[in-house]
Amino acid sequence: MMRLCKFILLLVMMIGLTSCRDQNKTVDSTRSPQGEVEDASVAYSKYEDPIVIRVGFKVPDSRLNTGDSNDNNPITRYLESITNIKVVHSWEAKGEDAFNQKAQLAIDSNDLPDAMVVDRDQLKKLIDNDMIEDLTETYNVYGSDLIKDMYNSTQGEALSDASRYGKLYGLPNVAIDADSPVLLWVRQDWLDKLELQAPQTFEDIENIAKAFIEKDPDGNGKRDTVGLSGYKNIIYGTKPLVNGLDAVFSALHAFPTNWIKDNAGNIVYGSITPETKQALAKLADWYKRGLLDPNFALYKETQEPIITGKSGMFFGPWWMPYYPLSEAVALDTKAEWRAYAAPLDESGKFVAHLAPVTDRYLVVRKGFEHPEAIMKQLNVFTRLERRQDPNSEEVKKLDDFSAQTGIQLRAYYPFDLLIDYSDAIEKHYADIQQALHGKIDPDTLNPDTRLIYDQWVEDTEQPKKDLEGWKAANAYKYGVAVLTSTAIEGVRGVFYGNTQLMKSKWTELQNLESETFLNIIVGDSPLSDFDVFVAKWKSLGGDEITKEVAETVKLK
């Protein structure tokens, strides 16, 4: 796998600030008596005296083999050199689950580092127990224009999601709009060889899958190819990844694992709706006919049949060329993959569930003397990540380090919190198209976009010569191209997080759901067991949890 919503009104940010929290003077950081920043460089200004911040750190998969450590390496040393802020790791954890456990332990024991990234439920608990700083003033005064522009691209939703009663308690990440829709990726060379039409409908997908299985598209004389790959847990629910079957549900207006509003405006759990039953019936039929990979539930790594060249179709977001398709093409350079907005619903619309605008938040321990230092850190590494850092000589050294070691700079930022424009992907694509068609000078493209443009041009001139460039070129040529040319009917959930009863009941209900869905699809249970599941789900606490969710949404 790749080392890969909203409920409150627009936050009314404080204006006319009269005092500054920064008790340790910074260079060029004066403000007028009305509290307005006189010099915009305050967002990036360097402390005259050193500041130390202690953080919870998520250890990346990449390993430093240069004699450096997680909190003392070329990346951390550069950030310290331009801020005079030394970052010390209070604790470290490798992997998402381990990090969340460490963060939860810190919260439960009331032993917070100065700053750390938390999820939605953890943010709620921290606010409820008055354990974190109100960052409203800190953000207004010290937030960079770049950060503010990115948050503004969500029309206020990101900041609202991190706020309560008009106060900002966390600096949120921003979900990329393009990451939500699930596309159908197809072996185009097989499609062309068998003279098949591009897929749009369920029937199209069925016909293609059948042909891919029966007509030896790889030409090896064996019946060993797979029509459609699948994910053993069926769906991802919120943020799609490789092989999830979410698109099948969405095309039937089913949104399992998400809290949605039905046609009558009532809040319902998407996994128990009649539309979900209909989608399960479709998948069970595909499995019975062999159209859905008979072994989809058995793979240790869901991407295996794609990488090994056995699969002809799979569902995934726009960035699939980055992974796993880059590895598939490395093993078979003749493989050509294209993305399609399919299946469409019965009225010909492409329906997609939209992920919440944010789900992680950078928080600051209550009483920490310099909350603005956390804001400054976010400013500088976001500027670096978005290729807008003016210190070109030092950035070149960091780029060289990254190229030599294979380590991404972001892996050693103090916080695992990347921020971008919500429509960043579409912006890149639109600007690249302008440059390709001679409407703008490529030299006017921002650094991020120019890099993708160069990779696009190089891959067009010499296809697959450089697979690193091929990744971005094909993700944009085919994945993003489909997204920008397709009218998407988006459906957003109304609630994310946990209620009180979920804490004791949700694991049991989730297990019941996943077992029922899988058993129905593979034929171990009849479709009628869905109705048994719904009744049991409700009696085991589902009805009460639905009431809790409805009350919570009503209060927002």
Side-chain angles (χ1 to χ4, degrees), residues 132-392:
I132 51 177
E133 283 288 323
D134 169 7
L135 299 176
T136 311
E137 179 179 345
T138 299
Y139 171 76
N140 281 338
V141 176
Y142 293 96
S144 69
D145 288 343
L146 177 61
I147 293 286
K148 290 178 178 177
D149 284 346
M150 289 175 175
Y151 283 151
N152 288 341
S153 73
T154 71
Q155 288 73 52
E157 295 173 11
L159 293 178
S160 292
D161 200 41
S163 302
R164 185 183 293 183
Y165 307 125
K167 295 181 179 181
L168 182 66
Y169 285 99
L171 302 168
N173 66 336
V174 174
I176 302 298
D177 292 341
D179 288 349
S180 289
V182 182
L183 302 174
L184 179 66
W185 289 88
V186 182
R187 276 290 296 261
Q188 188 68 35
D189 52 321
W190 291 5
L191 202 67
D192 294 341
K193 178 181 178 180
L194 301 181
E195 298 182 341
L196 300 168
Q197 295 299 310
Q200 288 188 313
T201 66
F202 280 115
E203 185 178 2
D204 293 337
I205 295 172
E206 292 168 7
N207 291 336
I208 292 170
K210 188 172 187 293
F212 282 176
I213 294 166
E214 297 177 351
K215 296 186 177 181
D216 190 26
D218 60 357
N220 69 352
K222 302 176 182 179
R223 184 167 171 149
D224 59 353
T225 46
V226 172
L228 176 69
S229 294
Y231 170 50
K232 64 182 178 182
N233 293 329
I234 318 299
I235 55 170
Y236 289 99
T238 303
K239 290 185 177 180
L241 295 173
V242 60
N243 272 340
L245 297 167
D246 305 61
V248 174
F249 290 84
S250 294
L252 294 168
H253 295 233
F255 306 97
T257 76
N258 289 285
W259 294 92
I260 58 172
K261 285 190 176 181
D262 63 15
N263 293 333
N266 299 313
I267 292 175
V268 297
Y269 184 55
S271 297
I272 65 170
T273 64
E275 292 82 3
T276 292
K277 181 179 181 179
Q278 187 181 359
L280 290 173
K282 174 70 70 176
L283 291 170
D285 175 60
W286 284 3
Y287 184 86
K288 183 178 180 179
R289 295 161 60 191
L291 307 180
L292 178 61
D293 184 357
N295 297 312
F296 83 92
L298 304 178
Y299 295 111
K300 184 176 180 181
E301 298 290 342
T302 188
Q303 65 272 17
E304 181 183 331
I306 300 170
I307 293 175
T308 57
K310 299 301 181 185
S311 180
M313 291 186 291
F314 73 95
F315 290 106
W318 68 272
W319 47 263
M320 291 292 92
Y322 285 96
Y323 188 84
L325 293 184
S326 56
E327 293 201 12
V329 171
L331 292 175
D332 179 6
T333 57
K334 298 188 299 297
E336 294 287 343
W337 288 90
R338 299 291 183 269
Y340 295 93
L344 304 179
D345 72 2
E346 61 180 6
S347 63
K349 295 179 180 179
F350 183 62
V351 182
H353 172 262
L354 303 181
V357 70
T358 183
D359 59 3
R360 288 182 296 143
Y361 316 83
L362 175 57
V363 298
V364 178
R365 173 179 58 81
K366 182 83 170 183
F368 179 54
E369 188 178 5
H370 297 289
E372 81 288 339
I374 311 302
M375 187 75 248
K376 286 172 176 287
Q377 281 287 310
L378 185 62
N379 291 338
V380 295
F381 74 69
T382 300
R383 180 179 67 174
L384 175 62
E385 180 67 21
R386 298 300 156 215
R387 313 301 295 178
Q388 296 189 29
D389 192 313
N391 304 306
S392 55

